[in-house]
Amino acid sequence: MLNGRHLIEPADLSVHEIDTICALAEQIIVDPAAFTDVCRGKILATLFFEPSTRTRLSFEAAMLRLGGSVLGFADAASSSSTKGETLADTIRVVSSYVDIIAMRNPKEGSALVASQYSSVPVINAGDGGHHHPTQTLTDLLTIRALKGGFEGHTIGFCGDLKFGRTVHSLAKAMSRYRNNKFVLISPPELAIPQYITDQVLRPAGVEYTEALRLEDVIGDLDILYMTRVQAERFFNEQDYIRLKDSYILDREKMKLAKDSMIVLHPLPRVNEISPEVDSDPRAAYFKQVRYGMFARMALMAKLTGAL
């Protein structure tokens, strides 16, 4: 049962629960009119202590499309935290007004703290470098909708694999399904953390390879998950200049890929995907945004007990 539960990290959901949420999201996609009143009378609080565009608006659109209401703030400066109020007290107060809370906070572990003081379900909408579980649900729903399921895929993660929380979460999630292979494409400076390979991939028996150049492996991929290579992560500018162009997806690299491959990106992008790729039917990152709204609709309907 998901009713009344918190969602702090992707591992809080079992494989069966992920499948249940995705199945409900697919029902909503097919017949959205059938779900316009399921959260009538429910109120979502969006507590965003740092800037957000997609995530906050996606949560708000999701609740409104379910027939519920939204209150909250999009800037910590407009909250009582500027007066010194503790997070615990903020959560105690807000949870007395609403039925569910979506919170983003720059401090790692803040969502877990919030869940300990809340009388209603808390959804972690990002806590620093830790977790962003609804982005993982977004990625999973997109893969299920466009690739037919979660098993038997060769998935390339490209760019900043060291600091990218979305990469770590999706790798953990897809490791729970059978016959997936990972290709880890990054410079050595931004390689995936060893704990992911040692504690997640190897125990799950996931086959993985590492590569320096995207064009060398793109032809093998069913899914390409792009992230930005950040200049500030390099110890010297020469290494960044040497490697940065290898991780810009453009029309020429797409010519090397399968016709059935899809390209995902958690957004925002900077220059790691050329705009010329946007018109390619394999570019799925804007579809991914829409799937995120449906994933959040299904999740909130379940956590509030509406469905």
Side-chain angles (χ1 to χ4, degrees), residues 117-161:
Y117 292 94
S118 177
S119 57
V120 300
V122 171
I123 301 173
N124 182 7
D127 63 333
H130 271 191
H131 302 291
H132 193 354
T134 60
Q135 179 63 52
T136 305
L137 281 177
T138 295
D139 299 339
L140 290 172
L141 178 60
T142 306
I143 291 169
R144 175 165 156 148
L146 300 182
K147 301 299 291 183
F150 300 134
E151 298 182 351
H153 302 303
T154 299
I155 307 158
F157 293 100
C158 181
D160 180 358
L161 310 189

Side-chain angles (χ1 to χ4, degrees), residues 39-46 59-60 63-71 98-100 300:
C39 281
R40 184 71 60 189
K42 304 287 188 184
I43 302 174
L44 163 71
T46 52
F59 269 109
E60 293 181 359
M63 181 54 86
L64 293 172
R65 286 178 178 272
L66 291 170
S69 303
V70 180
L71 57 80
V98 303
D99 301 284
I100 190 167
M300 289 194 291

Side-chain angles (χ1 to χ4, degrees), residues 182-194:
F182 294 164
V183 181
L184 309 174
I185 310 151
S186 73
E189 296 89 339
L190 297 177
I192 204 161
Q194 190 170 349

Side-chain angles (χ1 to χ4, degrees), residues 19 51 83 88-89 96 101 113 140 169 171 177 189 232 239 254 259 266 279 289 292-293:
D19 292 342
K83 302 176 183 178
D89 283 0
S96 69
I101 294 171
V113 171
L140 290 172
S169 292
Y177 295 91
E189 296 89 339
E232 60 269 26
D239 283 344
M254 289 296 286
D259 291 342
S279 59
V289 172
M293 179 184 68

